[in-house]
Amino acid sequence: MSHYAICPEASMSRLSAALLLLGAILLAGSSALAQSDSDVYNRIEELHGDAAGFDRPLRQLVRAMRSGEAETIAGLAEYPLTVKANGESYDVESAEDFIDNFDDLVKPETRRAVGRQQYVDLFVNSDGVMLAGGAVWMGAVCEDNACEASHWAIIAINN
């Protein structure tokens, strides 16, 4: 029967090495997932077109959320607008309805999160562009059935 001596120093150094290796792998993985502004721009262009036209409404929305400008935010939305707030889902029919109920429809946490949005942190898929971890979605909305022209608008708010 053989006996093995347990050396705490050796176990700790192996554990330290394993943790360092794991940390390096995680850091390498996160940098591999990082995207640049041009990556985001190209993804918007690829999936929705008019990436250049997205910049202005995005900047307006971020500034308006930061300062709580209900009228500006309302003007950037497409109606009816689906808003999830207070554990309920609302179909907001007009800008006037949105403005009148702004404090109930757009929570302070959502305003702060969107107000801190960085272009590089946007998520883009075929549904649109996600801001603040899904708090707000913007999409290219067709202006006619042929979709020859479109405009960027808020298409959903999820508090």
Side-chain angles (χ1 to χ4, degrees), residues 19 29-30 34 56 72 75-76 90 94-96 100-101 110 119 128 132 137:
L19 288 173
S30 67
R56 185 169 181 255
T72 300
L76 292 168
Y90 304 96
S94 67
E96 182 180 346
D100 289 346
N101 297 287
T110 298
Y119 193 86
W137 281 84

Side-chain angles (χ1 to χ4, degrees), residues 14-112:
R14 276 191 233 125
L15 177 61
S16 296
L19 288 173
L20 284 173
L21 179 59
L22 178 61
I25 291 169
L26 290 174
L27 283 174
S30 67
S31 65
L33 296 175
Q35 60 185 3
S36 67
D37 285 357
S38 63
D39 292 333
V40 174
Y41 181 94
N42 291 337
R43 182 90 169 135
I44 293 170
E45 188 64 38
E46 173 189 338
L47 292 176
H48 303 283
D50 193 22
F54 177 71
D55 186 62
R56 185 169 181 255
L58 172 66
R59 289 181 192 279
Q60 289 174 324
L61 176 60
V62 169
R63 276 194 304 268
M65 284 286 195
R66 212 177 284 142
S67 59
E69 297 172 30
E71 293 82 6
T72 300
I73 299 165
L76 292 168
E78 185 69 19
Y79 298 94
L81 175 66
T82 300
V83 177
K84 292 181 181 167
N86 310 310
E88 308 253 349
S89 185
Y90 304 96
D91 289 323
V92 181
E93 297 296 326
S94 67
E96 182 180 346
D97 191 20
F98 183 86
I99 294 165
D100 289 346
N101 297 287
F102 180 72
D103 290 330
D104 292 326
L105 295 174
V106 185
K107 296 298 178 189
E109 311 82 63
T110 298
R111 290 182 227 159
R112 279 190 297 276

